[in-house]
Amino acid sequence: MNLDHAFFCGNPALDFAATLRARRTLRFETLVSPERLDAWYVESGVVDTVSPSRAADVEQAIVVREAVYSLTTARRLGEAYDKEALAAVNSVARKPPATPQLTATGRWTTATPEEALATVARHAVEVLGGPDVPLLKECGNPECTRVYIDRSRGVRRQWCGMESCGNKVKAAAYRARKKQAQPAAVR
């Protein structure tokens, strides 16, 4: 797997929870350094620039990420929230978020790592306490654990993204059908 960040989920908090990929199998971590955490904040659009993170910021971000994932899974399945996960997200969401400023060239958001993480936590509060809860789905790829907001027509989307998961699952199913059909054709 590569370290490129992906943004398929429809909400920064859900995309943040997806920075640990293949949770049920490989558990591929993308937040492997302070620089990768900073890159995620900028690439996600949460901020335009962030002051350099430290190892402790990565540790805190991973705690919040896991709490967001736990809460999202519970909400999606209609289960009770884990109290520790709830406390972790709420505690960070209470801190000052990144604040956009108007500049001569437009909107610009500069933040500290703590402000960027607070912004992500607030996104989690909004999505898990808002009208999109019935639209939360987990990707249909058994190896993928991304949760996304399904705003598709008829709410029938099955994959977090066609390029990332849908095409892979469909291609594997096609190959399996072809392989199964070949022995019958040989007879």
Side-chain angles (χ1 to χ4, degrees):
M1 261 190 210
N2 65 30
L3 285 176
D4 291 340
H5 294 127
F7 304 97
F8 302 112
C9 301
N11 179 283
L14 299 177
D15 287 319
F16 194 65
T19 60
L20 177 62
R21 299 183 192 162
R23 287 173 179 274
R24 290 188 276 272
T25 55
L26 300 173
R27 296 188 62 83
F28 185 79
E29 179 64 69
T30 62
L31 302 178
V32 295
S33 69
E35 295 78 21
R36 293 302 302 156
L37 175 61
D38 295 344
W40 188 90
Y41 287 140
V42 172
E43 291 169 23
S44 70
V46 169
V47 298
D48 296 303
T49 60
V50 61
S51 57
S53 292
R54 298 180 321 257
D57 296 318
V58 176
E59 290 172 19
Q60 178 65 28
I62 288 172
V63 167
V64 171
R65 178 198 60 203
E66 293 307 301
V68 169
Y69 184 77
S70 170
L71 297 173
T72 301
T73 299
R75 185 70 166 166
R76 189 176 56 76
L77 299 175
E79 297 173 353
Y81 286 143
D82 176 80
K83 290 179 183 177
E84 288 179 23
L86 194 60
V89 169
N90 283 334
S91 144
V92 173
R94 282 187 201 99
K95 295 179 180 175
T99 305
Q101 300 293 305
L102 186 59
T103 68
T105 57
R107 180 180 186 262
W108 192 258
T109 305
T110 299
T112 65
E114 186 176 76
E115 292 168 337
L117 187 58
T119 302
V120 171
R122 286 175 180 223
H123 279 288
V125 169
E126 291 301 317
V127 74
L128 296 174
D132 289 333
V133 169
L135 306 178
L136 294 176
K137 288 187 177 179
E138 186 176 73
C139 182
N141 179 349
E143 293 182 13
C144 182
T145 53
R146 286 186 186 118
V147 175
Y148 61 91
I149 300 172
D150 182 2
R151 291 190 177 104
S152 68
R153 184 175 176 177
V155 191
R156 287 188 260 175
R157 185 171 147 194
Q158 295 179 347
W159 324 107
C160 62
M162 277 308 289
E163 294 86 27
S164 61
C165 288
N167 288 341
K168 290 176 188 174
V169 172
K170 287 182 174 193
Y174 174 77
R175 285 190 303 275
R177 284 192 308 273
K178 289 291 262 188
K179 186 176 182 178
Q180 195 172 28
Q182 280 179 336
V186 174
R187 293 182 205 163

